[in-house]
Amino acid sequence: MNALELIVGLGSGGGVTLLAQSAKGWLVARGERHRDDRSSDIELEVHRDKLTFDLLSAARVEVAAARDEVALLRPAVARLALREAHLEEALDQIDGLLNSDTTEELKAARRRARAFVNRMRRLSDAKGTIMNEVQRQESIASLQEQEREK
């Protein structure tokens, strides 16, 4: 379309038609873009939902694994806490011996320290006895199993 045809078209009322066609084309294109945007938004939401559920599933697996690990560590933590308590008591006994000012305090600190050492020895002996008994029971069970196999 050349400039002369454009001027003639505008002068004869074609300008309104041209403007209307342009507006209609713009509205149609806008509607298509809006429809495309909505479908993209829906696809994006579906993808996000899937990722969220995958993430929740993975988190549940990790939590279960962590619970299993913690359950395995609880006995070791309990043993360490007991040893810590014994070490703290031993440090208290040493502190009492080193910081006694009078002979009465020193005698009392020595008596408490001896009692602590004796208690720890009895505890160690008891553990040894228990371990020996467990080993004896295991040996008996093993010998009985061997006799049954014969």
Side-chain angles (χ1 to χ4, degrees):
M1 188 186 260
N2 63 27
L4 183 61
E5 290 175 342
L6 184 59
I7 292 173
V8 171
L10 287 175
S12 66
V16 173
T17 304
L18 185 61
L19 186 61
Q21 287 176 345
S22 295
K24 180 184 174 206
W26 179 78
L27 286 173
V28 168
R30 182 174 173 248
E32 288 175 3
R33 277 195 311 270
H34 184 65
R35 205 173 315 116
D36 289 343
D37 288 347
R38 281 186 291 164
S39 67
S40 295
D41 288 345
I42 290 170
E43 289 174 9
L44 183 62
E45 283 298 318
V46 168
H47 184 67
R48 281 185 193 154
D49 290 347
K50 183 185 180 308
L51 286 176
T52 301
F53 288 127
D54 290 347
L55 180 64
L56 286 172
S57 176
R60 283 187 184 109
V61 169
E62 287 297 318
V63 166
R67 281 186 185 136
D68 292 344
E69 288 178 22
V70 167
L72 292 174
L73 293 175
R74 279 192 182 116
V77 170
R79 284 191 307 272
L80 289 174
L82 184 61
R83 285 185 180 189
E84 177 188 15
H86 290 160
L87 287 174
E88 285 180 12
E89 189 175 351
L91 289 174
D92 290 342
Q93 299 304 329
I94 292 170
D95 184 55
L97 289 169
L98 293 175
N99 294 319
S100 299
D101 293 331
T102 64
T103 55
E104 291 87 25
E105 288 178 356
L106 184 59
K107 286 179 184 179
R110 284 181 179 166
R111 189 178 62 251
R112 286 190 304 270
R114 279 189 207 105
F116 172 74
V117 169
N118 288 334
R119 192 170 64 247
M120 291 297 107
R121 284 184 183 148
R122 283 192 309 269
L123 180 64
S124 178
D125 291 344
K127 284 180 184 177
T129 302
I130 291 170
M131 289 174 63
N132 287 339
E133 182 62 25
V134 168
Q135 185 178 11
R136 188 177 74 79
Q137 292 295 330
E138 288 174 353
S139 296
I140 290 171
S142 175
L143 288 173
Q144 289 174 347
E145 183 68 30
Q146 289 175 0
E147 287 179 12
R148 277 188 235 140
E149 291 176 359
K150 288 181 183 179

